[in-house]
Amino acid sequence: MPTGRVLHVLSQRPGLTGSGVTLHALVRQAARAGWEQRAVCGVPADDPRPRVGDLPPDAVAPLLFAPDSGPPSRAPDVEFPVPGMSDVMPYRSTRFSAMEPGQVEAYRVAWIDLLARVRDAFQPDVVHAHHAWIVSSLLRDVFPHTPVVMHGHGTALRQLRSCPGLAASVRAGCGRNDAIVVLHELHRQEYAREYGLDPTRCHVVGAGYDAAVFHARGRVDDAGPTLLFAGKLSRAKGLDCLLDAFDIVRGESPSAVLHVAGSGSGAEADELRRRVEETPGVAWHGKLEQPDLAARMRETKVFVLPSFFEGLGLVLVEALACGCRLVSNDLPGLAPVVEVAGDALARVPMPRLVGADTPDPADRPAYVERLARTLRTALDRAPSGRDSGEAVDGIDPRLAPFTWEAVFERVETVWLDVMRRRRAEVGAS
């Protein structure tokens, strides 16, 4: 007997960003728990059959945007590339801040039409929508009698600042939804404040990692002075500053190697890719699938997250599970990771920022030197997977709250609660 029917909503491509990975994981966990599921997502017209967890193709309804590269097999529903919640996405995308009013209206109309068709065919008991942004702001209009849960990944907070012309309607629309689940306590406070939500409607569920993939079994602990960066090729992720810092590190440790894994699109990503490929001591891997990334982590001494804006930095948990030492900017949302990582994590004081994720040029040289100094210290220390003397087989008990099973249990509790509340409201009316 199914627990209920849930419709998952993601306005961008599944599986290629943190929210897309979260979608995959929640779908798989919900299937195990007995939920009947459908999903809608935004994809380029040359990829009209996206994979979402283990759902069959007829359970996934895509909204088709302009093709990413090849000729489309179907005509797009929207004539521009999929808009992304970050300004630099790992695929061809449109920036919300650059959209013309006509594009925003076409975007809204296309989503409302698709969501209404899925509503009529599926009749969900609850809607789970990733990102408190434009599509989430439309859901109460399409689903007036269905509880809606939003999933905040942090990027909508930045979009509110980047797109002031859209912020008011987004805040008003999202404020009508039943609940929001977020990554950590700071996000709970920020979303409640920015969207005018009752704090009791904001729930911390954290973020998850795949413990079957990210583990320290078979770890190589004599890999030498090795560093790893994995993420989008963008300045907001701090890659250009990391390359500058690595030049300093390599000047003192000529055998040091920096591995770079990731992807991106546009002029900024192309420029960074060229620099990565031309920098001595840097090994370029392109985009790695999760098993390959985990294998690379098990062969690396220090994982580096030099990002200037991050929801939670889940990749730090994945690297910690693989036995890496960690170096990260001292980001506001890292408290849950700090708690479990202990002295395996070294935090670098942030430079002043111009906007949401751009370092002040005046602070940049001193920041790069701080980053280099922290990297050198981390490379000199013992691998984190052996420091405590704990066995590396199985799930580290400190990381148990970060497994997808644990995250889904917290999300499911919210689903059941909003469904119960909605039934009570209907019964009282």
Side-chain angles (χ1 to χ4, degrees):
M1 185 72 177
T3 303
R5 296 185 302 276
V6 57
L7 173 64
H8 302 270
V9 178
L10 176 68
S11 62
Q12 53 191 34
R13 301 183 66 176
L16 298 178
T17 61
S19 58
V21 170
T22 300
L23 171 63
H24 280 314
L26 292 181
V27 165
R28 292 192 175 105
Q29 294 298 323
R32 296 188 182 106
W35 289 82
E36 187 179 351
Q37 303 178 86
R38 297 290 186 273
V40 297
C41 53
V43 299
D46 51 341
D47 182 23
R49 291 187 172 273
R51 182 177 62 86
V52 177
D54 298 316
L55 293 179
D58 62 0
V60 180
L63 186 66
L64 302 184
F65 289 80
D68 193 14
S69 55
S73 57
R74 289 167 51 187
D77 303 300
V78 181
E79 296 297 334
F80 47 84
V82 183
M85 292 301 295
S86 297
D87 284 349
V88 177
M89 300 294 287
Y91 48 81
R92 183 171 176 244
S93 63
T94 299
R95 293 187 181 189
F96 282 108
S97 58
M99 290 172 67
E100 299 290 338
Q103 290 179 308
V104 174
E105 182 61 19
Y107 181 80
R108 287 178 170 137
V109 168
W111 274 112
I112 288 172
D113 179 66
L114 175 62
L115 289 164
R117 285 186 277 118
V118 174
R119 175 202 62 203
D120 294 343
F122 183 51
Q123 293 296 313
D125 297 310
V126 62
V127 177
H128 187 94
H130 294 272
H131 303 296
W133 192 235
I134 293 176
V135 174
S136 290
S137 75
L138 306 172
L139 292 174
R140 182 55 69 222
D141 297 321
V142 182
F143 298 92
H145 308 299
T146 305
V148 175
V149 176
M150 300 177 291
H151 201 133
H153 298 274
T155 47
L157 298 170
R158 181 169 50 182
Q159 291 292 350
L160 287 174
R161 297 190 287 271
S162 299
C163 308
L166 298 173
S169 63
V170 165
R171 286 190 176 102
C174 288
R176 300 178 297 168
N177 295 331
D178 296 80
I180 186 168
V181 298
V182 298
L183 302 179
H184 49 74
E185 174 60 27
L186 181 59
H187 270 178
R188 191 184 74 83
Q189 298 171 19
E190 289 181 309
Y191 275 96
R193 181 178 66 251
E194 288 287 348
Y195 290 83
L197 300 173
D198 184 331
T200 62
R201 294 162 60 192
C202 306
H203 308 270
V204 176
V205 298
Y209 82 103
D210 190 339
V213 173
F214 295 95
H215 57 77
R217 296 186 294 277
R219 176 170 176 79
V220 177
D221 277 343
D222 57 355
T226 48
L227 304 162
L228 172 63
F229 167 93
K232 283 180 282 193
L233 303 183
S234 74
R235 295 188 185 92
K237 290 292 184 181
L239 181 55
D240 57 332
C241 291
L242 174 58
L243 292 171
D244 288 346
F246 180 69
D247 282 341
I248 298 172
V249 171
R250 190 168 167 82
E252 298 183 6
S253 301
S255 61
V257 177
L258 169 62
H259 297 275
V260 175
S263 60
S265 63
E268 182 177 316
D270 292 342
E271 177 188 338
L272 286 168
R273 188 181 301 108
R274 283 193 297 271
R275 187 175 171 199
V276 165
E277 293 172 338
E278 294 170 359
T279 301
V282 177
W284 166 240
H285 298 279
K287 184 181 185 299
L288 294 178
E289 297 301 323
Q290 287 205 328
D292 298 319
L293 175 60
R296 175 57 55 190
M297 287 174 170
R298 287 189 285 273
E299 297 175 353
T300 300
K301 190 167 186 180
V302 178
F303 183 87
V304 192
L305 182 68
S307 177
F308 298 111
F309 184 95
E310 205 73 31
L312 176 66
L314 181 65
V315 70
L316 293 174
V317 174
E318 295 169 339
L320 183 66
C322 292
C324 294
R325 284 208 159 275
L326 311 174
V327 169
S328 171
N329 281 346
D330 195 5
L331 296 158
L334 285 190
V337 180
V338 172
E339 186 175 344
V340 300
D343 66 0
L345 170 64
R347 289 176 283 170
V348 183
M350 294 267 284
R352 290 174 296 177
L353 298 181
V354 179
D357 52 22
T358 303
D360 187 322
D363 284 10
R364 194 178 187 281
Y367 163 74
V368 168
E369 179 55 46
R370 287 197 302 274
L371 177 59
R373 186 166 59 248
T374 307
L375 293 173
R376 289 195 300 265
T377 300
L379 287 170
D380 289 340
R381 300 187 65 189
S384 73
R386 305 295 183 186
D387 278 357
S388 65
E390 296 177 359
V392 295
D393 291 307
I395 299 173
D396 185 326
R398 298 172 300 172
L399 302 184
F402 292 94
T403 62
W404 281 120
E405 292 83 356
V407 172
F408 175 73
E409 287 179 6
R410 296 189 285 268
V411 170
E412 184 182 39
T413 297
V414 177
W415 290 352
L416 295 173
D417 181 62
V418 295
M419 289 167 58
R420 184 168 53 249
R421 289 174 182 269
R422 185 53 61 98
R423 286 194 298 267
E425 291 172 1
V426 172
S429 61

